[in-house]
Amino acid sequence: MAHTKKEVIEKAKELAKVMAETEEVDFFKRAELQINENLRVQEIIGQIKKLQKEAVNLQHYNKTEGLKEVEAKIDALQDELDEIPIVKEFKQSQTEVNGLLQLVSTTISNSVTDEIIKSTGGDVLQGTTTKNPFNSGC
């Protein structure tokens, strides 16, 4: 039985709902909320955004010395931000969620390839889609 693109998308949405209820995603959401409520984190982010706008202007007017100074300030603020425990936890949870998404994507891709190989009478272990006439075992 052939499935339509619409059916596949519906299954993907179902899978997305399941994934959204994993521990990894739950931790990510809680960490994001804590970051949004953390005044020091928000203050640093605000300073970084302001400096980034300044950097764009300096770059536009070819002010290389000023640009270097502003970029150094941005780097220092980013380092300070990265040392805040909730930010570390958030970045770690982001990595874990991305890993989960990558795992699911790879699993789907590999499974589709295997199904194509099987349905064309191929060999999954060799990764060939048809029986190879040169390996008939003489």
Side-chain angles (χ1 to χ4, degrees), residues 16-56:
K17 286 180 184 175
V18 170
M19 290 176 66
E21 295 169 0
T22 61
E23 285 181 36
E24 293 87 349
V25 173
D26 187 54
F27 186 84
F28 175 82
K29 289 188 286 191
R30 284 186 282 126
E32 186 175 35
L33 282 173
Q34 289 179 349
I35 279 181
N36 290 337
E37 294 170 357
N38 186 304
L39 294 177
R40 182 65 187 138
V41 169
Q42 292 308 310
E43 181 183 318
I44 294 171
I45 290 171
Q47 290 174 342
I48 289 171
K49 286 180 179 179
K50 181 180 171 200
L51 288 168
Q52 286 171 334
K53 286 179 184 175
E54 193 176 324
V56 168

Side-chain angles (χ1 to χ4, degrees), residues 14-120:
E14 287 176 31
L15 179 58
K17 286 180 184 175
V18 170
M19 290 176 66
E21 295 169 0
T22 61
E23 285 181 36
E24 293 87 349
V25 173
D26 187 54
F27 186 84
F28 175 82
K29 289 188 286 191
R30 284 186 282 126
E32 186 175 35
L33 282 173
Q34 289 179 349
I35 279 181
N36 290 337
E37 294 170 357
N38 186 304
L39 294 177
R40 182 65 187 138
V41 169
Q42 292 308 310
E43 181 183 318
I44 294 171
I45 290 171
Q47 290 174 342
I48 289 171
K49 286 180 179 179
K50 181 180 171 200
L51 288 168
Q52 286 171 334
K53 286 179 184 175
E54 193 176 324
V56 168
N57 286 334
L58 290 167
Q59 190 173 21
H60 179 73
Y61 293 107
N62 294 320
K63 306 276 187 181
T64 53
E65 284 306 311
L67 181 59
K68 285 181 187 174
E69 285 179 33
V70 169
E71 287 175 341
K73 288 178 186 176
I74 291 171
D75 289 343
L77 284 168
Q78 190 65 55
D79 289 344
E80 184 180 343
L81 190 62
D82 289 343
E83 288 306 310
I84 297 173
I86 189 60
V87 173
K88 285 182 180 180
E89 290 176 18
F90 176 74
K91 286 189 172 190
Q92 179 60 38
S93 71
Q94 206 172 25
T95 300
E96 289 174 12
V97 169
N98 286 338
L100 177 61
L101 289 168
Q102 188 61 51
L103 177 63
V104 168
S105 177
T106 301
T107 302
I108 290 171
S109 178
N110 290 344
S111 298
V112 169
T113 300
D114 289 351
E115 288 302 317
I116 291 169
I117 291 169
K118 288 178 199 172
S119 70
T120 57

